[in-house]
Amino acid sequence: NHDGSLIATGSKNKLRLAEVATGAILREVEHFDWVRAVAFSHDGSLIATGSDNKLRLVEAASGAVVHEVEHGDKVRVVAFNHDGS
């Protein structure tokens, strides 16, 4: 995230959010395929993930999927604009 306190990682069927200082896993969000891409929004409130032909937006605080977009192929890269959009 923006302040360097959290890290998001993708693996087989999961997004994991962990504390950098301790390595403690804070939450896991299930996916249906490999999570191939992750990115924090500029303010750290959202995490974008690319997996199983879908882009998902996940709330960092709760792990709730707040938006999902179908894609025609595997999503391998995700990014936010610096202005937060």
Side-chain angles (χ1 to χ4, degrees):
N1 67 342
H2 186 64
D3 68 7
S5 63
L6 301 175
I7 188 166
T9 62
S11 64
K12 185 176 181 183
N13 303 331
K14 289 185 183 177
L15 163 71
R16 287 191 177 98
L17 184 63
E19 289 182 336
V20 171
T22 65
I25 304 287
L26 301 176
R27 63 194 48 80
E28 294 182 335
V29 180
E30 294 293 324
H31 284 60
F32 297 104
D33 197 356
W34 282 90
V35 177
R36 300 172 190 285
V38 296
F40 275 98
S41 62
H42 185 69
D43 66 1
S45 65
L46 294 172
I47 303 168
T49 65
S51 175
D52 62 338
N53 303 337
K54 293 181 184 175
L55 165 75
R56 290 182 178 87
L57 293 178
V58 177
E59 273 187 350
S62 68
V65 176
V66 295
H67 195 65
E68 195 172 84
V69 177
E70 291 285 334
H71 194 272
D73 201 355
K74 292 190 184 327
V75 179
R76 298 179 190 274
V77 177
V78 294
F80 287 91
N81 283 334
H82 289 287
D83 68 1
S85 60

